[in-house]
Amino acid sequence: QFYNTARCWPTRAALLTGYYPQQVRMDPPRGRLPKGTRVLPHYLGPLGYRCYHSGKWHLHGAPRAVADGGFDHSYVLHDHNRFFAPQHHEEDDRPLPPVKPDAGYYATTAIADHAIRCLKEHAAKYADRPFFHYLAFTSPHFPLHALPEDIARYRDRYREGWDVIREQRWRRLRQMGIVNGELSPRRPHAEKPAAGALEKLGPGEEARAIAWNDLTDEQRAFQAIKMAIHAAMVDRMDREIGRVLDQVRAMGAFENTVIFFLSDNGASAELLVRGDGHDRTAAPGSGATYLCLGPGWATAANAPFRGSKIGVYEGGIATPLIVHWPKGLPASARGQLRHDVGHVIDFVPTLLELAGGRAGEPWNGVKPPPLPGRSLVPAFAKDGAVSRDFLFFSHSGNRAIRMGNWKLVASGAEKDSWQLYDLATDRAETVNLAARYPERVRQMEARWKELNAEFQRQAEAP
């Protein structure tokens, strides 16, 4: 039961610093990280690790991945609007030339290429030292850009629509033992599309997650190809991850390298047009188009959960976490599920335990607050081994707190209307128990407010 923060940049801040983004001025972004805040390489470098980064950065409070983040090598893709021809990217903090549209560049492949170059150099020059690689793909973030041959694999896969797909996914997840409870209702409302987006995208777009059968034929064809592009982007990312892992194997490090895989937010219901705009006459998924997954397919991508990116219902904040480590995981644990509750703030304490490091030491002359996360290492051997008092969520007016199996959540659009759910039986948040347990609501709301005030105070540190 692993969580992110509902959006890209606060999740990356939590992963790299070990703090809730509200503690380190990163949600909303307000300048540099506090002086006492380290980024993961600042912990791992002194322990002998070479540290590499490839892909998205988005740590606004430490804008340079090498100089501020402590990485030995980095490829940063700042341009999140163009998968084929980015205009703003850099290597080792130095700007690179803009990519021409006919250069054969594709962001997911370029990110993997950089990772492989770093690992090859590591094998040649630093084989006696351990490494940490932060591999941060932008895929499948909008715009939906994919290689034509990848789109072709999925062109007809999603014509049956999001209602059928979300039902299939829910049943499969239940059968696998990953989720319990019911499928959340497909709610037709969604956040308001960006101004002018629907006019630019044309009559095939739909701003609400309405029933698939209520769409026009033109809309169903348009929506099916959007999901095909999205699937193609994920497929290509899988293939590029495979290439990186092949390099780890070639180094003889695969058995003793711990690999974590997760997402930075739930699927996106946003509809907008940025970058170079959207050419309706161009091939869908090409660089001249700008498509988003949208509210309908977000309900399928996040099934069985409620909500989507930016919100703090489970659909916005839940992510799979996959851990692979042949030499480190007990044989009895391989292929097993864990039901422990975890969060991206747990990566720093987890990696410090694995690497033999410690937190809490002064940094830049400032003693930092205690890390709020927990090491996940005990969960490698045993289900239920990681305990915690709470998890805190706050983003764009959306707020939540999880204490045990109880979750209190409020949408920014619903002002101060708190809802209470028992996630032990209702992970899809379908039955609001707030009226039945008013005292529990009061206690959890008081704790959320206490934490929010404390985190804001910490964020004011120099």
Side-chain angles (χ1 to χ4, degrees):
Q1 300 182 70
F2 202 76
Y3 290 100
N4 51 52
T5 71
R7 207 168 196 167
C8 41
W9 76 80
T11 289
R12 292 157 199 277
L15 188 154
L16 289 169
T17 69
Y19 291 101
Y20 288 105
Q22 293 77 20
Q23 294 177 275
V24 291
R25 298 198 282 261
M26 281 299 297
D27 194 4
R30 308 193 299 278
R32 307 271 310 182
L33 297 173
K35 287 180 64 177
T37 305
R38 301 188 196 199
V39 179
L40 258 171
H42 298 146
Y43 292 106
L44 297 177
L47 300 175
Y49 280 75
R50 292 278 296 178
C51 298
Y52 310 111
H53 160 260
S54 306
K56 196 169 185 177
W57 181 241
H58 236 181
L59 185 57
H60 302 291
R64 298 169 300 175
V66 174
D68 300 317
F71 285 89
D72 294 289
H73 287 310
S74 169
Y75 172 65
V76 174
L77 181 63
H78 290 298
D79 189 343
H80 307 145
N81 288 319
R82 301 170 182 89
F83 276 79
F84 293 107
Q87 305 300 292
H88 306 288
H89 56 155
E90 63 187 41
E91 188 165 4
D92 294 347
D93 297 347
R94 294 186 295 274
L96 294 171
V99 177
K100 295 181 180 180
D102 59 353
Y105 177 103
Y106 185 65
T108 307
T109 301
I111 291 168
D113 285 343
H114 179 265
I116 292 168
R117 288 199 302 273
C118 290
L119 293 173
K120 285 183 175 179
E121 181 194 67
H122 188 92
K125 297 182 179 179
Y126 308 101
D128 60 331
R129 295 176 60 180
F131 67 86
F132 166 67
H133 202 118
Y134 174 42
L135 182 56
F137 291 102
T138 51
S139 180
H141 195 284
F142 57 74
L144 300 182
H145 285 168
L147 299 170
E149 60 269 28
D150 294 341
I151 299 173
R153 295 189 186 95
Y154 298 94
R155 186 167 298 279
D156 298 322
R157 171 65 181 86
Y158 297 100
R159 293 183 182 276
E160 55 195 344
W162 48 62
D163 288 327
V164 171
I165 296 293
R166 70 193 304 267
E167 176 92 8
Q168 290 174 347
R169 292 187 176 190
W170 168 61
R171 292 190 181 280
R172 185 169 67 250
L173 291 168
R174 277 178 59 115
Q175 185 178 27
M176 295 170 68
I178 293 175
V179 300
N180 57 18
E182 298 304 311
L183 175 66
S184 66
R186 174 183 38 74
R187 291 173 170 84
H189 64 273
E191 63 180 82
K192 186 177 180 181
L198 292 181
E199 292 78 6
K200 295 173 183 176
L201 293 167
E205 193 53 270
E206 170 54 55
R208 299 166 300 149
I210 64 175
W212 181 260
N213 288 337
D214 290 341
L215 297 173
T216 67
D217 290 345
E218 182 178 11
Q219 286 178 317
R220 285 195 287 269
F222 182 82
Q223 297 295 330
I225 193 62
K226 285 205 309 178
M227 189 61 188
I229 301 165
H230 187 269
M233 297 173 76
V234 174
D235 183 304
R236 177 54 53 180
M237 180 176 65
D238 285 346
R239 291 164 184 265
E240 300 302 343
I241 291 171
R243 286 205 304 127
V244 175
L245 297 186
D246 284 344
Q247 173 58 34
V248 178
R249 288 186 182 91
M251 299 162 63
F254 186 70
E255 295 294 310
N256 198 30
T257 295
V258 59
I259 299 164
F260 299 91
F261 179 86
L262 74 155
S263 178
D264 56 359
N265 47 247
S268 168
E270 298 158 285
L271 289 175
L272 46 81
V273 177
R274 293 175 178 167
D276 300 318
H278 176 68
D279 181 355
R280 291 196 220 171
T281 67
S286 65
T289 62
Y290 203 106
L291 301 172
C292 298
L293 187 63
W297 283 117
T299 68
N302 291 327
F305 299 144
R306 174 181 181 177
S308 55
K309 172 189 172 185
I310 300 175
V312 294
Y313 292 109
E314 296 291 282
I317 57 178
T319 174
L321 174 66
I322 300 170
V323 182
H324 182 271
W325 187 21
K327 276 195 175 180
L329 295 175
S332 60
R334 296 174 190 172
Q336 299 296 307
L337 293 176
R338 293 291 179 259
H339 299 89
D340 302 74
V341 178
H343 189 282
V344 283
I345 56 172
D346 297 334
F347 276 109
V348 169
T350 299
L351 297 188
L352 288 182
E353 178 171 346
L354 293 174
R358 56 183 294 181
E361 301 296 322
W363 181 250
N364 291 328
V366 177
K367 184 170 178 60
L371 291 174
R374 301 284 185 271
S375 171
L376 301 174
V377 171
F380 292 176
K382 180 183 177 182
D383 195 17
V386 178
S387 62
R388 62 193 335 128
D389 296 328
F390 64 86
L391 283 177
F392 172 90
F393 302 92
S394 178
H395 183 65
S396 291
N398 304 303
R399 50 210 188 279
I401 184 169
R402 176 167 176 166
M403 302 176 73
N405 285 318
W406 291 99
K407 181 181 174 186
L408 191 70
V409 57
S411 166
E414 297 169 3
K415 308 220 181 280
D416 294 323
S417 179
W418 288 102
Q419 301 159 37
L420 180 69
Y421 298 100
D422 180 2
L423 300 187
T425 58
D426 185 24
R427 188 87 191 275
E429 298 165 301
T430 62
V431 181
N432 179 11
L433 301 174
R436 191 183 306 178
Y437 300 103
E439 183 57 30
R440 185 178 294 276
V441 171
R442 283 192 288 270
Q443 292 174 354
M444 294 179 71
E445 178 185 18
R447 183 62 172 140
W448 186 93
K449 290 181 175 178
E450 178 185 26
L451 291 166
N452 188 58
E454 174 61 16
F455 293 163
Q456 295 301 322
R457 185 192 66 78
Q458 292 175 5
E460 299 304 317

